[in-house]
Amino acid sequence: MPTEYKHQSVQDYVAAKRRGDRATTDRIIREVTARFNTRATDGSEAAELHEATMTVRFGEDL
């Protein structure tokens, strides 16, 4: 059963990672990291992105 992610950025990241779109995954990581570093987020977005990074395989839809 696939994990359901609540943050749109993480949903977009997972979709991009599954289709092998490194430019988009890198951009999303930079954006989420910037929001976390400037405390523009509570940290749940970054935690969810980390979990997706560890569990979703790159290019798995190819």
Side-chain angles (χ1 to χ4, degrees):
M1 176 181 208
T3 301
E4 292 188 31
Y5 298 102
K6 85 175 196 182
H7 293 94
Q8 184 63 50
S9 60
V10 180
Q11 293 170 18
D12 295 345
Y13 172 83
V14 168
K17 190 169 182 182
R18 285 188 174 144
R19 69 176 178 267
D21 183 349
R22 183 148 330 261
T24 300
T25 58
D26 290 350
R27 177 185 53 79
I28 292 169
I29 289 170
R30 284 191 308 271
E31 291 171 357
V32 171
T33 300
R35 284 194 289 277
F36 179 76
N37 287 342
T38 60
R39 306 299 186 253
T41 182
D42 66 0
S44 63
E45 181 185 26
E48 192 173 82
L49 181 64
H50 179 271
E51 194 267 326
T53 300
M54 300 305 289
T55 58
V56 177
R57 292 178 48 201
F58 195 80
E60 98 183 356
D61 283 348
L62 299 178

